[in-house]
Amino acid sequence: QVRVVESGGGVVQAGESLRLSCAASGSTSVINVMDWYRQAPGKQRELVAESLRGGTVNYADSVKGRFTISRDYVKNSVYLQMNSLKPEDTAVYYCSATRYYDSAKYWGQGTQVTVSS
């Protein structure tokens, strides 16, 4: 089993920055992908950024150039640096960890990010 815990959400004004953190614990050796999703009210959960074992990262078009995902393999953690935040970035942000052999996902409880205009 893998446990995933996020932290770092909050309320900021447009143009400001936030850094989200996510730590995985338990059977972390089976994790190959760690990523960030978000879900705004009334909308589907969407992938924001992903970090694949080996160094590949991918971003949603809406956050490219503003958000940066980074990963610490020693700490089994992933981070999301969010700059130039916009009101449309307001959502609950979820971290997930994917098991390599069956693609099962482990989810955190989510952290709220609110960007005011």
Side-chain angles (χ1 to χ4, degrees):
Q1 277 286 44
V2 176
R3 183 169 181 250
V4 177
V5 178
E6 307 101 333
S7 61
V11 180
V12 296
Q13 292 193 332
E16 294 184 340
S17 299
L18 273 178
R19 185 175 187 248
L20 305 182
S21 299
C22 169
S25 59
S27 301
T28 56
S29 63
V30 301
I31 297 170
N32 64 339
V33 179
M34 293 189 75
D35 41 30
W36 289 96
Y37 285 74
R38 67 186 180 187
Q39 188 167 19
K43 294 188 176 181
Q44 288 190 328
R45 191 173 296 190
E46 62 174 355
L47 178 65
V48 175
E50 63 179 358
S51 170
L52 283 64
R53 187 174 288 273
T56 301
V57 297
N58 295 300
Y59 297 95
D61 287 343
S62 59
V63 306
K64 281 181 182 176
R66 299 188 299 122
F67 291 11
T68 302
I69 188 170
S70 59
R71 190 163 172 184
D72 186 328
Y73 289 90
V74 174
K75 296 182 178 180
N76 295 306
S77 296
V78 68
Y79 308 94
L80 188 66
Q81 177 66 42
M82 305 185 293
N83 298 330
S84 302
L85 282 160
K86 303 176 180 180
E88 51 263 44
D89 294 319
T90 295
V92 178
Y93 284 70
Y94 297 91
C95 177
S96 75
T98 304
R99 203 160 56 186
Y100 76 90
Y101 57 86
D102 63 358
S103 298
K105 276 189 172 301
Y106 295 92
W107 294 93
Q109 80 286 353
T111 185
Q112 177 71 46
V113 172
T114 302
V115 184
S116 60
S117 57

